[in-house]
């Protein structure tokens, strides 16, 4: 085994020095040795890392369009025309690695690490990469013991660091970032690829994607390929005319996103310290092509693997001899399903979608949900619409929320001291009749939020705020940065948590160069639980522009959480311009018989089950009928959160069930194990007081059962989804 590893290592080093530049030149019409359009890795990367910069075309004007599915892979290795390859880096699994950026599992799970940065205002590539992969792993929620890293498999000589090669690349159209990780122990005899579309709006170095979903693939000796779905950390500094490359280098050109702004100086003068972000302001509606981005990332993986391991110009890996899985969460879960719908060439063998953000097309379908004796038709609602509705009523409803069982604490409820002001403003706008928190909470319950979800609402609103619906509405409506939809704009805000009131302020505590390592592509961008770095701000606040949580829109110096802006955002979610964008992202429900698991938390307040997974599963049963290979796993006491404090006593980590599902797929596809049926997984919360819950065990996390009890089985057929009471 050691000889095989050594031989592979030698070939990788040889490949990084010679083969990659040669392969990059094949099938190209124009090459250059200058920096490619996303920059190059700095020269001060550790001496033990072997790097090679591939040659690529830099002419972004010659955009090559393609069909929704990758071209058929023939016996000759061909570089896709849309591919811009950038850098190759080898990590030895000691000083640096694919999963923890050299930190290791034990330090990440023991204490909160503050990595050393030589020049704080200008971190180099490895410092930025380490910042992205540095997150505290709370083993009390089961990560590191029951899923993700396996402490029982670690030793003093192996702390979860995996050796292998990383290759960065870009899909030219939409500048989609991709990252391929090939472990040193990649199994050439039983090749497999795991495609991981980025969670939420993040880029290709999302820590949970790499340390949970990607780690699973690497542990199974698979190559893992990530893509940012055309979003990534595309943040642009309007005043300085600077943005980020795919791996976080700050440049003025060849970046992920650069908006066209007329009368820029005039705009800057009126709106100083403002920024643009790719999802909000690119006017591309990238979500319409999420599935295509995933399929292209798989094509990229095939090309690189064949280039690396073939002894000649003939491809040795193809869809017929390589196992291909797609494993995504939240927006990445939606992208995984969209890839399955576009895969008419049978490339994908299996899909796991965890809490997918998906919009089923119900325009020509009538579907229903039955729970016990309660039968209801499921409506078609976009996250743009229902999250905007939630942002309108949640701040008012919070005083009516009751604590969980014997714990008197409702997390973050004490932050909302102006809830009645929001209620009064909604009553004034004829959006409430009595203007009470109880009335607002009842409206939320009728819209899809259940009483079991109530306790999450204060935290959900505080951390997501108006930014959640705004990002989708702006993308679907293809709003430009200068339109300032609903008089909101993206600005740097006070970065100091003490006496913070969310005012627009220049970046001082945090430099723009540091933002990439902190950001996940979503607003707000936090510096502390009480301070944002970047956020949407109300331009017409009656005092001064500030984030909506501190905003006064009715009476000066009386905070109402920016009611005027929230009403506008909800109204925008229903306008024809936005509805046209929603039509472009709707899902057909046809997975072409691909073996698929959808795993969803029953208490998910962000991706409401009725409008996402439940509706999708019911539609799939109507579209595919008995040919469907879709399994639906709904997990009690799980949400989009992972069960950390302050919800350690009330919620469980959904990622445990994503990993459980893909293990079932693996067993089926490699050993013909019988797949479980659709089911509700009955779990048990950890209990106790918030912040003091006991260690999670198998008594809390019940695994997916191959043959569940009859009172757990979910039935689905002909557009009807039946959940056990």
């Amino acid at each position: 085994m050691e000889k095989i590893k050594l031989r592979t290592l030698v070939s990788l080093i040889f490949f990084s020095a010679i083969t990659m530049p040669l392969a990059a030149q094949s099938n190209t019409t124009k090459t250059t040795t200058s920096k490619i359009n996303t920059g190059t890795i700095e020269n001060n990367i550790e001496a033990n890392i072997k790097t090679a910069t591939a040659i690529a075309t830099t002419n972004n004007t010659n955009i090559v369009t393609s069909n929704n599915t990758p071209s058929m892979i023939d016996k000759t290795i061909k570089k896709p025309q849309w591919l811009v390859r950038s850098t190759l880096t080898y990590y030895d699994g000691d000083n640096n690695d694919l999963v923890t950026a050299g930190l290791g599992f034990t330090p990440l799970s023991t204490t909160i690490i503050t990595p050393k940065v030589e020049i704080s205002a200008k971190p180099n590539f490895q410092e930025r990469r380490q910042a992205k992969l540095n997150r505290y792993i709370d083993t009390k929620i089961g990560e590191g013991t029951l899923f993700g890293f396996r402490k029982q498999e670690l030793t003093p000589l192996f702390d979860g660091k995996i050796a292998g090669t990383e290759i960065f690349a870009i899909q030219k159209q939409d500048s989609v970032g991709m990252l391929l990780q090939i472990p040193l122990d990649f199994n050439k005899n039983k090749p497999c690829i795991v495609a991981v579309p980025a969670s939420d709006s993040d880029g290709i170095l999302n820590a949970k994607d790499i340390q949970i979903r990607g780690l699973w693939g690497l542990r199974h000796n698979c190559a893992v390929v990530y893509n940012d779905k055309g979003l990534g950390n595309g943040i642009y500094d309007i005043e300085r005319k600077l943005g980020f490359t795919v791996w976080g280098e700050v440049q003025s050109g060849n970046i992920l996103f650069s908006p066209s702004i007329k009368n820029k100086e005039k705009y800057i003068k009126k709106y100083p310290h403002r920024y643009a972000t790719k999802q909000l302001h690119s006017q591309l509606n990238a979500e319409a092509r999420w599935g295509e981005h995933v399929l292209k990332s798989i094509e990229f993986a095939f090309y690189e693997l064949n280039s690396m391991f073939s002894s000649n110009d003939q491809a040795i890996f193809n869809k017929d001899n390589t196992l291909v899985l797609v494993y995504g969460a939240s927006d990445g879960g939606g992208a995984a399903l969209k890839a399955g719908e576009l895969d008419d060439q049978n490339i994908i063998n299996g899909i796991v979608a965890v809490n997918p953000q998906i919009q089923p097309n119900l325009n020509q379908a009538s579907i229903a949900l039955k729970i016990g004796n309660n039968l209801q038709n499921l409506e078609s609602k976009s996250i743009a619409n229902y999250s905007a509705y939630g942002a309108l009523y949640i701040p008012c409803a919070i005083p009516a929320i009751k604590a969980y069982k014997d714990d008197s604490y409702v997390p973050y409820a004490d932050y909302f001291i102006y809830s009645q002001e929001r209620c009064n403003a909604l009553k004034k706008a004829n959006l409430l009749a009595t203007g009470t928190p109880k009335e607002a909470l009842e409206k939320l319950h009728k819209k899809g939020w259940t009483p079991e979800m109530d306790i999450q609402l204060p935290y959900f609103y505080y951390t997501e705020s108006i930014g959640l619906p705004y990002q989708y509405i702006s993308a679907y409506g293809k709003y430009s940065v200068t339109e300032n939809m609903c008089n909101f704009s993206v600005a740097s805000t006070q970065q100091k948590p003490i006496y913070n009131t969310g005012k627009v302020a220049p970046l001082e505590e945090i430099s723009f160069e540091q933002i990439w390592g902190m950001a996940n592509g979503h607003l707000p961008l936090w510096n502390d639980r009480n301070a944002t770095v970047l956020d949407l701000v109300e331009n017409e606040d009656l005092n001064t522009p500030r984030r909506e949580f501190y905003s006064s829109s009715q009476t000066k110096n009386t905070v109402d959480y920016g009611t005027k802006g929230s009403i506008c955002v909800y109204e925008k979610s229903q306008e024809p311009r936005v509805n046209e964008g929603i039509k472009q992202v709707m899902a057909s429900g046809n997975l072409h018989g691909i073996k698929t698991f959808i795993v969803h938390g029953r208490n998910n307040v962000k991706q409401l089950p009725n409008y996402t997974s439940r509706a999708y599963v019911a539609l799939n049963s109507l579209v595919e009928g008995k040919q469907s290979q879709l399994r639906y796993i709904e997990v009690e006491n799980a949400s989009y959160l992972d069960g950390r404090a302050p919800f350690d006593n009330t919620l469980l980590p959904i990622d445990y069930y994503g990993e459980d599902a893909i293990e079932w797929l693996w067993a089926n596809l490699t050993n013909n194990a019988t797949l479980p049926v659709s089911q509700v997984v009955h779990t048990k919360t950890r209990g106790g007081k918030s912040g003091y819950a006991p260690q999670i065990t198998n008594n809390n996390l019940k695994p997916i059962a191959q043959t569940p009890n009859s009172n757990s089985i979910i039935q689905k057929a002909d557009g009807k989804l039946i959940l056990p009471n």
Side-chain angles (χ1 to χ4, degrees), residues 51-63:
T51 62
T53 302
I55 306 170
T57 56
T58 59
N59 188 357
N60 284 331
T61 61
N62 297 325
I63 294 176

Side-chain angles (χ1 to χ4, degrees), residues 73 116 137 150 172 186 225 281 287 417 639:
I73 302 172
K116 295 180 180 179
I137 298 173
R150 294 291 195 275
K172 279 194 284 189
F186 175 74
V225 62
H281 305 125
E287 187 176 341
I417 59 178
S639 180

Side-chain angles (χ1 to χ4, degrees), residues 132 174-175 177 201-204 228 230-237 242-248 255-259 275-282 490 512 515-516 519-523 534:
K132 287 290 289 180
D174 297 352
S175 295
S201 307
D202 208 348
I204 49 180
D228 68 13
L231 302 177
N233 281 325
I235 303 170
Y236 183 79
D237 185 331
L242 295 175
F244 294 108
T245 65
V246 68
W247 55 77
I255 53 181
L256 279 170
F257 169 58
S258 176
Y275 298 79
T277 68
K278 190 174 183 181
Q279 182 172 16
L280 272 62
H281 305 125
S282 69
V490 180
F512 182 73
I515 284 178
W516 187 83
N520 62 6
H522 175 65
L523 298 171
L534 295 181

Side-chain angles (χ1 to χ4, degrees), residues 178-197:
M178 297 184 297
L179 170 65
L180 176 64
Q181 294 184 328
I182 307 171
L184 189 60
D185 288 335
F186 175 74
N187 192 337
K188 293 184 292 182
N189 297 318
K190 296 181 180 180
C192 54
I193 296 170
V194 179
V196 181

